[in-house]
Amino acid sequence: MITPDLSGKEFKLFQDFILENSGIFLDINREDSLRISLFSRITAKGFRDYYEYYSFLRYDALGEEEFKELLSLITINETYFFRNPSHFKFLKEYILTPLISERALYGKGIKIWSAGCSTGEEPYSMAITILEVFGFYKNLNIEILATDVSLKALDKAKKGIYSLHSLKLIDEKIKNKYFVPVDKNRFKLKDKVKEIVKFEYFNLIKEPYPLIEMGGWDIIFCRNVTIYFKIESIIRVIHNFYNSLKNDGYFFIGYAETLQQISSEFLPFKWNDIFIYKKEMRDLSLEEKDVNEKETGITEKKIERKSFNKAILSRGLYSKAMKFFEQKDFSQALRKVREVLEIDPQMAEAHFLAGKIHADSHRFVEAVESCQWAIQLVPLFLAAHFFLGVVYDKMGQPQEAINEFRKVIYIDGDFGLAYFNIARIYQLQGEDEKSLKEYTNAIKIFQKSSSEKALEFSEEITSELLIQTCRQNIERIKGFINKKNE
Ligand SMILES: C[S@@+](CC[C@H](N)C(=O)[O-])C[C@H]1O[C@@H](n2cnc3c(N)ncnc32)[C@H](O)[C@@H]1O
């Protein structure tokens, strides 16, 4: 017969079992919550007492599945969107954008792992960050795997419905863009975010780790997960993450966590109030490393730190240039962009920004040249193609403009403004049939909810207004055709 009390011996038995099989160490303060969790599972499954339940977990073929149910009750799943905002800021500005640019260029793809994702807020914050950087996801070849041991948390994550608590750090604009209200207190994530993340059960204390055989991950987040582990388990898990990362891969831990005394394998960098960890390059043999040190006096670690610092510096300058641009101080913005490009001539967004500055200052030839640089570096740079189309249009080069808008559609078939602009150019050229077709395509896209991304490029104009404009132009063209046929 099960008694509500858990004896010291019984507590120890489960404490050891849970530690061994999940890494989670339940100290004596968790005794009460463990008792409640065990009681709930034991009564649900009809076991007689703690010992019978323990034997089932340890020895029965179905014990592993039952342990997952127990873990769902034991784990602490506290999380929220954009927890530790600096992590997402760094991810966006210093890793994702340059990394995506490079991957987009070489088509290698990006693999991100949110380990211990709980109810999904962390991986979905990554997905939103990606959409904020690019405005679209299709064709980017990015994968986000999110894993956890709590089946209950994973279930909730897949549903994607969140309370205001989870959204407490999200501003109104992002909330309206990526969520739809379910009721007063709950919001459902839109499919375009959900489709980016794949959820799976994975216990970090069990090897082998995902992708370890296949070259590994570019970015791993494992935040606020190992805080419940004992030091031996943390060391093992962190070493496994190290092995699972690609060379140059990034590793994120929680604000309150440290790798001191745990791992000396990673290269730590301080940025604002956070530490970010990088996997060191390992492609030089020890002998080569020695020679390198003797000849140059610079260790491999220092070389990497130097190039990383260069990236930090150039992205910092780029942010300043962006601010000047937003304040419409074009000469200061251009000065800063030039400083960026001196440090990093390969930064596609800096070329693009230069293009926008030139265009705003009516230097269209220079604007074209800068956009073309950006596109040469990142062929799928949607915003640069679109903007180049606009510039060509302003320069009175309609065919070149259409070509660029077609490339935008090739990258993202749901980009309504590209259809709209093509339609408008055809209309001006008197190509009535072609224009009608493109306006009709544009209306279809503006009617879809995902059209907000295109609207970002049209500043104050709403989709309703664009639809109305398309319809008016269609009427005008039809009237014109009828008159011609009379
Ligand atoms: C506090 S949440 C952290 C969520 C998110 N990473 C964040 O920082 O907001 C910790 C998560 O780690 C998960 N976890 C605990 N032990 C784990 C293990 N051995 N393997 C995988 N996940 C584990 C828990 O289920 C829980 O959802």
Side-chain angles (χ1 to χ4, degrees):
M1 178 63 198
I2 178 152
T3 56
D5 286 341
L6 191 64
S7 71
K9 214 170 137 201
E10 286 162 342
F11 175 66
K12 176 90 176 76
L13 208 58
F14 284 103
Q15 187 191 43
D16 287 349
F17 185 79
I18 291 164
L19 178 67
E20 185 190 329
N21 290 287
S22 72
I24 298 171
F25 177 67
L26 300 176
D27 64 27
I28 197 70
N29 298 320
R30 302 272 310 273
E31 185 180 342
D32 233 22
S33 74
L34 174 64
R35 184 178 52 77
I36 295 166
S37 308
L38 288 173
F39 195 76
S40 144
R41 288 312 303 159
I42 287 170
T43 42
K45 299 295 279 188
F47 289 105
R48 270 175 303 163
D49 54 29
Y50 292 116
Y51 284 105
E52 196 181 48
Y53 184 60
Y54 175 79
S55 308
F56 184 80
L57 286 179
R58 188 169 270 290
Y59 304 113
D60 197 280
L62 298 176
E64 205 176 316
E65 284 310 300
E66 174 53 33
F67 184 58
K68 290 182 184 172
E69 300 294 335
L70 179 63
L71 268 186
S72 286
L73 300 180
I74 286 169
T75 51
I76 293 171
N77 306 117
E78 166 64 8
T79 184
Y80 41 91
F81 280 91
F82 294 97
R83 183 180 197 175
N84 309 149
S86 295
H87 284 162
F88 293 94
K89 194 155 187 270
F90 189 88
L91 176 72
K92 178 177 178 183
E93 290 182 16
Y94 293 89
I95 311 179
L96 219 45
T97 312
L99 195 63
I100 286 177
S101 309
E102 188 191 309
R103 303 287 174 197
L105 187 61
Y106 299 111
K108 285 185 204 151
I110 297 175
K111 293 189 171 21
I112 309 175
W113 181 13
S114 162
C117 64
S118 186
T119 39
E121 288 87 332
E122 178 178 283
Y124 285 141
S125 301
M126 297 169 174
I128 290 175
T129 305
I130 288 165
L131 290 173
E132 280 298 288
V133 172
F134 288 92
F136 66 102
Y137 163 67
K138 227 169 41 181
N139 287 326
L140 277 180
N141 197 5
I142 301 179
E143 199 182 290
I144 302 178
L145 175 70
T147 61
D148 203 284
V149 282
S150 167
L151 295 174
K152 241 167 79 184
L154 288 170
D155 252 12
K156 185 167 179 231
K158 285 177 202 160
K159 289 195 182 99
I161 298 176
Y162 295 100
S163 68
L164 282 172
H165 170 78
S166 287
L167 293 149
K168 64 184 175 187
L169 292 188
I170 288 198
D171 65 40
E172 273 309 289
K173 197 176 144 226
I174 298 286
K175 191 160 91 186
N176 295 336
K177 201 162 158 190
Y178 299 107
F179 294 84
V180 279
V182 177
D183 53 41
K184 222 170 75 201
N185 296 314
R186 290 180 314 149
F187 294 82
K188 191 173 171 32
L189 206 55
K190 289 188 179 171
D191 285 346
K192 66 177 175 186
V193 185
K194 283 174 72 183
E195 70 186 15
I196 304 178
V197 183
K198 194 169 109 199
F199 289 97
E200 268 175 26
Y201 177 92
F202 183 71
N203 186 346
L204 291 169
I205 217 72
K206 308 271 169 178
E207 288 104 6
Y209 272 31
L211 275 194
I212 205 154
E213 311 276 302
M214 290 152 61
W217 301 91
D218 297 287
I219 298 161
I220 298 178
F221 272 49
C222 183
R223 307 181 312 158
N224 311 302
V225 177
T226 60
I227 41 178
Y228 308 105
F229 289 11
K230 273 201 156 181
I231 185 86
E232 308 82 74
S233 316
I234 302 178
I235 291 174
R236 177 171 148 200
V237 165
I238 300 296
H239 179 66
N240 279 334
F241 281 132
Y242 183 84
N243 284 340
S244 312
L245 271 172
K246 286 184 186 158
N247 283 335
D248 287 340
Y250 291 89
F251 183 51
F252 289 77
I253 55 175
Y255 268 14
E257 296 169 275
T258 174
L259 292 191
Q260 260 179 31
Q261 319 289 335
I262 290 166
S263 168
S264 54
E265 291 173 303
F266 286 96
L267 190 64
F269 288 97
K270 191 164 186 327
W271 181 74
N272 292 348
D273 54 339
I274 52 169
F275 270 101
I276 300 113
Y277 298 86
K278 252 193 122 183
K279 180 166 176 169
E280 286 179 64
M281 291 196 288
R282 291 252 151 162
D283 46 358
L284 294 182
S285 72
L286 278 175
E287 294 77 27
E288 276 172 328
K289 208 173 164 181
D290 278 351
V291 172
N292 214 355
E293 268 188 63
K294 271 180 215 140
E295 282 180 356
T296 62
I298 307 170
T299 62
E300 183 192 345
K301 213 169 182 169
K302 278 188 196 150
I303 292 170
E304 197 194 350
R305 197 186 286 273
K306 226 172 136 186
S307 69
F308 190 71
N309 284 344
K310 196 176 105 175
I312 295 271
L313 184 66
S314 54
R315 302 228 50 103
L317 284 168
Y318 174 79
S319 296
K320 283 195 186 133
M322 235 3 225
K323 279 210 182 93
F324 281 127
F325 178 69
E326 281 158 9
Q327 291 160 1
K328 300 203 183 308
D329 186 345
F330 299 130
S331 61
Q332 284 286 13
L334 193 59
R335 197 164 301 144
K336 285 283 165 240
V337 166
R338 284 189 175 137
E339 285 176 36
V340 174
L341 290 173
E342 242 166 62
I343 300 170
D344 185 0
Q346 306 288 316
M347 198 200 282
E349 311 107 277
H351 286 286
F352 178 46
L353 181 56
K356 292 203 283 189
I357 297 168
H358 286 309
D360 274 341
S361 314
H362 301 278
R363 291 187 298 270
F364 294 125
V365 176
E366 287 88 340
V368 168
E369 202 183 318
S370 294
C371 288
Q372 280 172 339
W373 270 112
I375 289 165
Q376 202 177 330
L377 289 163
V378 183
L380 296 181
F381 199 154
L382 183 141
H385 282 292
F386 182 78
F387 192 73
L388 188 53
V390 173
V391 173
Y392 276 135
D393 192 24
K394 282 194 177 146
M395 291 169 83
Q397 292 180 225
Q399 196 45 53
E400 282 78 0
I402 288 178
N403 289 347
E404 292 308 319
F405 294 133
R406 289 257 177 253
K407 284 175 200 162
V408 170
I409 293 167
Y410 167 75
I411 297 168
D412 183 358
D414 280 345
F415 204 97
L417 272 185
Y419 288 103
F420 179 83
N421 278 323
I422 295 175
R424 203 181 36 75
I425 295 173
Y426 280 143
Q427 188 180 1
L428 287 171
Q429 292 178 329
E431 298 265 20
D432 297 336
E433 295 301 332
K434 285 183 181 171
S435 178
L436 282 178
K437 194 175 132 219
E438 302 299 349
Y439 275 129
T440 313
N441 286 333
I443 290 176
K444 274 189 210 144
I445 288 161
F446 290 138
Q447 280 168 339
K448 285 204 270 183
S449 59
S450 60
S451 63
E452 310 120 357
K453 62 174 172 252
L455 298 176
E456 276 175 22
F457 290 79
S458 64
E459 292 167 1
E460 309 285 274
I461 310 170
T462 63
S463 57
E464 287 74 28
L465 193 62
L466 283 164
I467 292 171
Q468 206 183 327
T469 314
C470 290
R471 290 204 173 116
Q472 280 166 354
N473 287 344
I474 287 176
E475 285 315 306
R476 218 168 277 154
I477 297 168
K478 280 184 178 162
F480 190 69
I481 294 175
N482 285 343
K483 239 189 218 150
K484 264 202 310 196
N485 292 340
E486 270 169 19

